[in-house]
Amino acid sequence: MDKGPAEADQTGQSHSAPTPPVLDLRGLKCPLPALKTRKRLKAMAEGQELLVETTDPMAVIDIPHMCREDGHVMVNVQPTATGHRFLIVKGSDV
């Protein structure tokens, strides 16, 4: 008997990832968004995701640069109505 797609979907496995924690840095000016992002990432485990929201126009330069320096992965940078949203994956502590 053929197990169709309906049965395959009843495995109980969820394909959606959990929502990453949000670090709300809206209203802060350079260099605070990058520094606070670095501090939060330092306290996280390798491979965890962090969503950072900013309004500082310099954050679009500073946060990706900090990620490259510290070995984190910048997954996505998305413009918002008032700034940017960054999705970062914590790299290994070296």
Side-chain angles (χ1 to χ4, degrees):
M1 187 174 237
D2 184 24
K3 293 184 180 181
E7 283 188 50
D9 290 342
Q10 295 175 3
T11 62
Q13 293 179 348
S14 174
H15 296 286
S16 62
T19 304
V22 176
L23 182 58
D24 186 354
L25 302 177
R26 293 176 291 181
L28 297 180
K29 299 288 183 195
C30 181
L32 290 176
L35 294 175
K36 288 185 176 283
T37 300
R38 177 178 276 146
K39 183 176 181 179
R40 175 65 69 90
L41 287 165
K42 197 172 212 58
M44 296 172 67
E46 181 179 349
Q48 285 187 305
E49 293 183 335
L50 178 64
L51 193 60
V52 180
E53 295 188 356
T54 67
T55 52
D56 179 19
M58 291 303 295
V60 75
I61 296 168
D62 294 341
I63 292 179
H65 178 73
M66 180 273 306
C67 287
R68 281 190 302 275
E69 269 187 353
D70 293 359
H72 307 302
V73 177
M74 178 64 63
V75 176
N76 189 21
V77 179
Q78 178 180 6
T80 64
T82 58
H84 291 88
R85 183 176 296 124
F86 304 88
L87 179 59
I88 303 167
V89 174
K90 161 79 185 245
S92 63
D93 291 323
V94 179

